[in-house]
């Protein structure tokens, strides 16, 4: 779906499809350099990270790559992180001794990812790093060490490329700021 298909719901376009694909190729080159010859397990966080995972995994030239998925929930209602994380779907993989890369769509307060990293580390992973396509530096509540970041963006609610509002707009090719009239 294109921006023009939901024009009236969007306040501002932040990233086009080609901005994103260029950045994902850049991130992939950095990840390849760090995990050359290794058996990396990438863990996608459902559902927002589906698009990033699909594009990043296909871009990575790492023959030992494996993919797994988790679903967590940190949100009650609305657009504010509660800090309370629940596992809705757990990994199928055993993490003992594994090199793990968490792939996320966005870091907002950082609460979800700092909890998730600690959780995966506690299962005996050899290393746990994070790749996030988007980060909102002005929304940070906890410091999270993110090895691979795509874009720093303003502290506004964004949709597209996997990110939703009430499950809509995930299928937008790019990322845009949602118009306030949609959620207020
Ligand atoms: P925290 O605050 O724990 O939140 O870093 C991370 C999760 O919150 C969701 N999130 C968003 N989803 N547009 C969205 O569609 C946004 O602007 C946004 N900010 C945070 C997202 O699920 C992320 O994994
Ligand atoms: Mg998410």
């Amino acid at each position: 779906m294109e921006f023009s298909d939901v024009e009236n719901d969007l306040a501002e376009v932040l990233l086009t499809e080609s901005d994103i694909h260029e950045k994902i190729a850049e991130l992939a080159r950095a990840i390849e350099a760090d995990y050359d010859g290794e058996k990396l397990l990438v863990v996608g966080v459902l559902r927002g990270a589906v698009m990033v995972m699909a594009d990043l995994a296909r871009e990575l030239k790492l023959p030992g790559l494996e993919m797994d998925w988790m679903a967590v929930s940190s949100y009650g209602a609305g657009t504010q992180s509660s800090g309370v994380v629940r596992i809705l779907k757990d990994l199928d993989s055993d993490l003992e001794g594994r090199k793990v890369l968490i792939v996320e769509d966005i870091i907002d307060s950082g609460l979800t990812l700092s909890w998730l990293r600690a959780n995966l580390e506690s299962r005996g992973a050899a290393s746990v790093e994070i790749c996030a396509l988007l980060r909102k530096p002005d929304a940070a509540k906890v410091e999270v060490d993110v090895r691979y970041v795509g874009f720093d963006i303003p502290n506004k609610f964004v949709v597209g490329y996997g990110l939703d509002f009430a499950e809509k707009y995930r299928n937008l090719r790019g990322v845009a700021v949602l118009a306030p009239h949609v959620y207020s």
Side-chain angles (χ1 to χ4, degrees):
M1 180 168 76
E2 316 290 336
F3 295 123
S4 56
D5 296 313
V6 281
E7 208 166 57
N8 294 333
D9 294 353
L10 306 177
E12 183 194 348
V13 169
L14 287 186
L15 303 167
T16 65
E17 183 176 28
S18 68
D19 294 334
I20 293 169
H21 288 161
E22 236 173 74
K23 183 63 75 175
I24 282 184
E26 226 176 82
L27 292 171
R29 300 296 86 78
I31 295 166
E32 286 162 2
D34 291 347
Y35 295 94
D36 186 31
E38 314 231 36
K39 233 183 117 198
L40 178 65
L41 176 67
V42 286
V43 169
V45 184
L46 296 168
R47 287 169 276 193
V50 164
M51 308 297 180
V52 197
M53 268 287 266
D55 284 339
L56 181 67
R58 284 179 294 180
E59 185 64 33
L60 282 169
K61 298 182 182 76
L62 291 174
L65 186 100
E66 294 178 23
M67 296 168 74
D68 202 345
W69 301 90
M70 261 182 104
V72 297
S73 158
S74 62
Y75 277 17
T79 59
Q80 282 293 302
S81 197
S82 64
V84 179
V85 179
R86 270 191 315 146
I87 295 179
L88 304 177
K89 182 227 171 286
D90 208 346
L91 297 170
D92 294 324
S93 318
D94 181 357
L95 297 191
E96 190 63 44
R98 301 296 309 266
K99 295 202 166 179
V100 176
L101 179 65
I102 301 171
V103 176
E104 252 290 30
D105 48 358
I106 190 165
I107 308 175
D108 192 285
S109 68
L111 291 166
T112 307
L113 270 175
S114 65
W115 183 92
L116 193 56
R117 162 180 273 160
N119 181 279
L120 300 193
E121 279 170 350
S122 76
R123 305 182 196 196
S127 66
V128 180
E129 297 295 345
I130 296 167
C131 174
L133 182 69
L134 309 173
R135 176 172 63 186
K136 296 178 182 171
D138 297 339
K141 285 188 189 147
V142 285
E143 192 71 29
V144 189
D145 176 25
V146 185
R147 170 85 59 100
Y148 314 97
V149 183
F151 302 93
D152 280 324
I153 60 166
N155 191 7
K156 295 177 177 169
F157 197 80
V158 295
V159 294
Y161 197 69
L163 291 154
D164 72 305
F165 175 71
E167 295 307 322
K168 291 199 309 188
Y169 313 108
R170 290 193 197 273
N171 58 329
L172 263 176
R173 292 178 184 277
V175 172
V177 176
L178 193 61
H181 74 79
V182 178
Y183 56 83
S184 57

